[in-house]
Amino acid sequence: MAIGEAGPGGARDGSQPGKRLEATMRDRLGRECVYVPSCRFGLYAALRHWCPPGGRVLMSPVNDDVIFFVVLAAGLRPVQAPLDPSDASVDVDAVPEEVWGSLSAVLTTNLYGNPDPAPRLRARCDALGIPLFEDAAHAIGSEVGGRPVGTWGDASVFSLSKHVGAKAGGILAVADPALRETLERSCADLLLPRRTKAEVAYAVRPYAEAAVRALRLRRAAWATMRLLGRVEREEIRMPLRPRELARAAGSAPGLDAHDPWVRVDMHDYRLRSGRFRLGRIGRRLDRLDGVLARCRAGTELLQSTRWAGPAAGAGPAAGAGPANGSRDAAQPLFRVPLLVADRDGAVRALARRGIVVGYLYDPPLDDYAGAEFTDPSPAPDGARWFARHALPVDPLRARAVVAALEESGVRPAGVPEGLVPSGG
C-alpha cells in the first residue's frame, strides 16, 4: 500500500483484457508489469512507494506540467535539472555535486522519445542509493545503451495513449518482480470506481472526433468546449493558481487535493477501466510494432532536414544529442523536435495545412512555477532555449510537415555558443 495513504477499496481488476495488456508489455520489456488507467497515475503510485514525503526528485524542466503536479501530489520537492539544449535530455555533468547529494530520487522524461542518458543516471543513483524512475510515456519503442527505455529504472511508466493511440491506459513496470503484487494492491487502493458515463464517452469519442474532422468543425467544437467551461488550457501551460496550490500542498501526499491539476486533459486518469476500454487498448497495442516502424521512418526523414538541429547527420549519434551518444539508427519518436528560429510562425504555417502542433512545454517548469514550488535549475539557459525553439511534429505526417515548412520558408535555429552541454 502507498505510504500513509488509503483510497477507495474494492477488488483488484483481474479482468482478462487487463492481464493480457500486462503480459504483452512484460514480453516487450522483460519486466513485471501492472496495468494502470494512466501513466500519471502509475508514476504517482511509484513515487509513493519508494519516496518518503519531503524527498527531493531531480526532473526535467521541459516536461508536461501534469507530471510536475504528480510529484507535488506525492509530497515531494521537484528539483529542476540542467538540459542538453539540442534534445532536452538531462545534462548529467552540469548537475552540481551538492544537488546529487540532496536527492531522494531521479525521474527521467525521455522527451518525445529521445532517451535521457539512463546508463549514467542509473550509475549515479546506484552510487547514491536512491531510486531511478523512468517516465517512458513518449518512448515506448526507444532504446538507450542497447536496452529498451523503461528497463533501467527501479520503476518505469508507459502511456498507452501516445504511440498506441488508445487515448487511455498505462503500464507500471518494475525491476524487482517481488514488488509486483504490492504495487498492484497499492494501485487498487488508489483507484476510483469506474463510471458508466466515462466508459460511454470513451466508447463514442473516436466516432465523434472522426465526424468533427470530416465536417471540418474543429473551430466550432473548440468554441463550444470553451463556452461550456471545458477548456482547461488557454495557453501552453495550465494556470498555476499558486494560492490554491499552496493550500493543496498542506494535504500532500494525496491525489484528492491536487486533482484539479493532475486531472487536466484526462479526467478519468484514476478510474477503474471497463472491459470495453481494455479491449480497445488491447487491439491498439497489438498494432504497436507497425506504428513504431512508421514512426521510425518518419523520424529518419525529419532528422535528415535542416531543422533537425546540430546533432542531426553528425555520425553515429545523429539525432541523439551528445548527452546520449548511443543511437546508431533513428528512434521511433512520438514527436520529432525540429529546432526553428520562429516557433510561433512555424506553428501557424503547419496550421494552414491542417497540422496541429501539440506537446509544447514552454516555459520550463522552474520559470512557470517559481522557487515556492520547485528548486530552479542551476543552469537554466539550455532548457529555456530548447523550450522556445522546439517544434514537436508527428513523424507519421513527416512529408506533409516538410512540405509546409519548405513552402513557408521556416528557418532553422542554431544552438548559440555557450549552450553546448558540459559532456559534449
Side-chain angles (χ1 to χ4, degrees):
M1 189 176 196
I3 302 169
E5 181 175 19
R12 286 175 283 169
D13 185 349
S15 63
Q16 287 303 114
K19 294 303 179 186
R20 189 170 77 83
L21 296 174
E22 294 172 352
T24 299
M25 288 300 292
R26 182 173 64 244
D27 291 343
R28 297 186 72 93
L29 300 171
R31 287 190 164 198
E32 288 295 326
C33 296
V34 178
Y35 173 80
V36 288
S38 64
C39 180
R40 65 189 73 176
F41 178 86
L43 177 60
Y44 178 82
L47 292 171
R48 293 291 296 116
H49 178 83
W50 269 275
C51 298
R56 294 161 52 81
V57 179
L58 186 72
M59 64 181 294
S60 168
V62 181
N63 198 346
D64 194 328
D65 38 29
V66 165
I67 299 302
F68 175 77
F69 293 118
V70 168
V71 175
L72 291 178
L76 304 169
R77 174 76 174 181
V79 177
Q80 304 304 321
L83 303 183
D84 175 346
S86 68
D87 67 356
S89 60
V90 173
D91 186 352
V92 177
D93 295 318
V95 180
E97 287 301 322
E98 60 269 23
V99 171
W100 285 117
S102 72
L103 298 177
S104 301
V106 173
L107 170 64
T108 68
T109 298
N110 305 296
L111 187 66
Y112 307 132
N114 279 315
D116 281 298
R120 297 191 64 199
L121 291 171
R122 177 74 272 172
R124 273 285 189 170
C125 288
D126 286 344
L128 294 167
I130 61 174
L132 173 66
F133 303 112
E134 293 180 87
D135 181 348
H138 295 175
I140 198 168
S142 297
E143 295 184 357
V144 61
R147 290 161 50 176
V149 168
T151 61
W152 291 93
D154 296 86
S156 55
V157 287
F158 292 84
S159 170
L160 301 179
S161 297
K162 307 294 189 298
H163 286 89
V164 176
K167 300 185 184 300
I171 291 291
L172 169 59
V174 293
D176 183 354
L179 292 176
R180 187 203 173 282
E181 288 191 9
T182 298
L183 287 164
E184 185 179 45
R185 287 194 297 269
S186 294
C187 289
D189 288 335
L190 292 167
L191 288 172
L192 297 176
R194 70 175 60 93
R195 297 172 186 164
T196 301
K197 182 178 179 180
E199 291 299 306
V200 171
Y202 178 78
V204 303
R205 179 177 175 178
Y207 307 105
E209 290 177 344
V212 167
R213 288 192 298 269
L215 297 173
R216 299 182 180 180
L217 295 175
R218 286 189 179 93
R219 291 183 180 177
W222 185 257
T224 301
M225 292 288 285
R226 183 180 288 108
L227 185 65
L228 294 173
R230 298 299 300 273
V231 176
E232 296 176 289
R233 295 179 188 266
E234 292 288 349
E235 305 293 337
I236 294 173
R237 296 293 190 190
M238 74 175 82
L240 184 69
R241 304 194 301 277
R243 290 184 181 178
E244 294 91 337
L245 185 60
R247 285 197 294 269
S251 301
L255 282 172
D256 291 344
H258 289 84
D259 188 68
W261 296 269
V262 177
R263 75 184 182 192
V264 168
D265 302 326
M266 185 179 283
H267 282 214
D268 50 1
Y269 74 96
R270 64 183 295 199
L271 297 185
R272 294 180 185 275
S273 299
R275 291 183 66 86
F276 180 88
R277 184 183 300 243
L278 292 168
R280 178 182 285 172
I281 295 170
R283 292 189 293 274
R284 291 276 188 168
L285 186 58
D286 288 343
R287 300 196 288 267
L288 176 59
D289 286 334
V291 174
L292 293 178
R294 295 193 297 275
C295 286
R296 186 175 288 107
T299 298
E300 288 177 348
L301 173 59
L302 290 165
Q303 287 185 340
S304 71
T305 69
R306 58 198 177 99
W307 305 286
N324 298 321
S326 60
R327 270 176 270 170
D328 296 328
Q331 305 279 5
L333 299 187
F334 172 63
R335 292 291 183 268
V336 180
L338 304 179
L339 297 175
V340 297
D342 177 6
R343 205 257 315 286
D344 294 340
V347 168
R348 290 191 295 270
L350 292 177
R352 288 193 291 270
R353 292 285 192 102
I355 301 171
V356 177
V357 175
Y359 301 97
L360 296 167
Y361 305 124
D362 184 24
L365 290 170
D366 37 5
D367 291 337
Y368 161 67
E372 180 179 358
F373 299 106
T374 185
D375 283 17
S377 168
D381 289 344
R384 288 170 178 162
W385 186 88
F386 182 91
R388 185 66 193 129
H389 292 283
L391 179 74
V393 295
D394 187 348
L396 299 180
R397 304 203 65 183
R399 294 190 182 280
V401 166
V402 171
L405 297 182
E406 290 284 9
E407 179 184 276
S408 302
V410 172
R411 294 183 297 108
V415 180
E417 290 186 19
L419 280 187
V420 295
S422 60

